Amino acid sequence: MSENLKKDYQLCEEIGRGKFGTVFRCFSLVSGDDFACKSIDKRLLTDSLDRECLEKEAKIMQLVTGNPNIVQIFDVYEDDSYLHLVIELCNSSDLFDRISKRTFSESEATAVMLPLMEAIAHCHILGVAHRDIKPDNVLFNEWNLLKLADFGSADWFLGGKSMSGIFGTPYYVAPEVISGRDYNEKVDVWSSGVILYMMLAGIPPFYGESAGEIFEAVIRGNLRFPTRIFDSVSPAAKDLLRKMLCKDVSKRFSAEQVLSMSNSCLILIVLFKVEN
């Protein structure tokens, strides 16, 4: 552990674990406030791409921090073996846990999508694509405020620069990423569309028994709305899903467009429920 980190924070129990590091609850020795500390073991980073992502993560988090729906970063410590990121503590259940237990009403799903898209739009305005939007990375703090987390796969796309490389998680990754083509920030919109579909349906829109089968289903992009599941879902919500899960990137909505349509959907959802 970094000596400077030990001077400022007391590490407590482990609360999470990833491929390259561990997340601990910690508290400030000055204020007594609780935080989370993401400790990344640099010795496990044998791939140059992994090292590049590590270098970007702290810089990108410092850039996007300040938005109320993004996990805030407070301190960074580094030594020869570890990189420690002291970040906001989110100690409530994540979205994956909530989705796995039940389906969401449209109003409940919209209440998640609006702050999530606010966070993504904020990143995109700053030229940052998250590239791993999934329910596991959508956290909630003790006041149930949504927080987008884990920028370990994030990248810059300033100046119209496209991105490359396969990042993300099978169910949520956009088809252009799997196809190996250069892509833009709208990959985050696709992933968010998958989340919206799962909240409403309880199942992913593109399914397979293996990663390979899932990728094939994503590339086909055959978006369906099974009647027994979507019968009570409004036309406005289905239309939004079509615009988010559009294979043609030029026609796929941007994060700002999703925000605008989501706000309109709130009114249409109410009207739809009253009429039915």
Side-chain angles (χ1 to χ4, degrees):
M1 186 194 305
S2 167
E3 290 301 317
N4 289 329
L5 174 66
K6 289 168 65 175
K7 290 177 183 177
D8 298 331
Y9 295 92
Q10 173 67 55
L11 264 61
C12 305
E13 73 276 10
E14 177 183 325
I15 56 175
R17 183 175 288 269
K19 182 179 179 182
F20 300 115
T22 307
V23 181
F24 300 93
R25 186 180 67 81
C26 68
F27 65 87
S28 168
L29 294 173
V30 175
S31 68
D33 292 334
D34 286 328
F35 299 91
C37 179
K38 182 176 181 179
S39 296
I40 302 165
D41 189 342
K42 297 193 294 184
R43 294 165 296 184
L44 299 176
L45 304 173
T46 56
D47 185 277
S48 60
L49 186 58
D50 290 333
R51 288 194 294 272
E52 182 182 345
C53 289
L54 173 65
E55 292 171 2
K56 287 179 181 176
E57 183 173 7
K59 293 177 182 177
I60 285 176
M61 286 197 71
Q62 288 169 325
L63 175 65
V64 302
T65 201
N67 182 281
N69 297 119
I70 294 176
V71 167
Q72 309 294 292
I73 185 169
F74 297 99
D75 282 308
V76 179
Y77 301 89
E78 187 171 9
D79 56 33
D80 292 338
S81 301
Y82 283 90
L83 175 68
H84 305 281
L85 309 178
V86 179
I87 58 178
E88 185 176 3
L89 178 65
C90 295
N91 51 8
S92 186
S93 58
D94 61 32
L95 186 58
F96 179 83
D97 183 61
R98 298 181 184 197
I99 288 176
S100 65
K101 291 177 179 175
R102 63 180 181 88
T103 56
F104 286 46
S105 69
E106 284 185 60
S107 57
E108 289 173 327
T110 304
V112 171
M113 288 306 296
L114 284 173
L116 175 58
M117 297 313 299
E118 287 278 6
I120 293 170
H122 174 76
C123 293
H124 290 181
I125 289 169
L126 294 172
V128 170
H130 186 282
R131 298 202 297 180
D132 195 18
I133 302 291
K134 58 183 178 180
D136 319 54
N137 289 335
V138 179
L139 310 182
F140 297 88
N141 67 11
E142 59 185 310
W143 298 284
N144 206 37
L145 182 65
L146 182 147
K147 299 281 184 173
L148 179 59
D150 197 347
F151 285 78
S153 298
D155 198 7
W156 288 285
F157 60 89
L158 289 169
K161 167 184 169 287
S162 60
M163 294 167 284
S164 61
I166 297 180
F167 290 87
T169 304
Y171 282 122
Y172 311 97
V173 68
E176 61 268 27
V177 176
I178 301 169
S179 299
R181 305 194 305 269
D182 287 351
Y183 50 84
N184 63 25
E185 73 279 6
K186 288 186 180 180
V187 296
D188 291 340
V189 175
W190 176 281
S191 302
S192 302
V194 175
I195 290 176
L196 176 57
Y197 189 104
M198 290 182 68
M199 285 192 290
L200 295 173
I203 57 173
F206 312 107
Y207 180 77
E209 295 292 339
S210 65
E213 289 183 5
I214 295 168
F215 288 155
E216 289 175 5
V218 170
I219 290 173
R220 286 195 299 270
N222 188 11
L223 183 62
R224 295 178 178 177
F225 300 110
T227 304
R228 65 180 180 83
I229 297 175
F230 280 89
D231 187 50
S232 61
V233 175
S234 70
K238 295 175 190 174
D239 191 35
L240 176 58
L241 282 167
R242 290 188 189 96
K243 289 178 167 62
M244 296 178 75
L245 295 171
C246 179
K247 280 186 64 179
D248 186 339
V249 180
S250 66
K251 295 179 180 178
R252 188 183 307 161
F253 265 18
S254 67
E256 290 284 358
Q257 287 173 308
V258 174
L259 270 176
S260 177
M261 190 169 180
S262 295
N263 280 304
S264 300
C265 276
L266 282 175
I267 299 171
L268 294 173
I269 287 166
V270 171
L271 292 174
F272 179 76
K273 296 304 180 186
V274 168
E275 290 172 358
N276 290 271

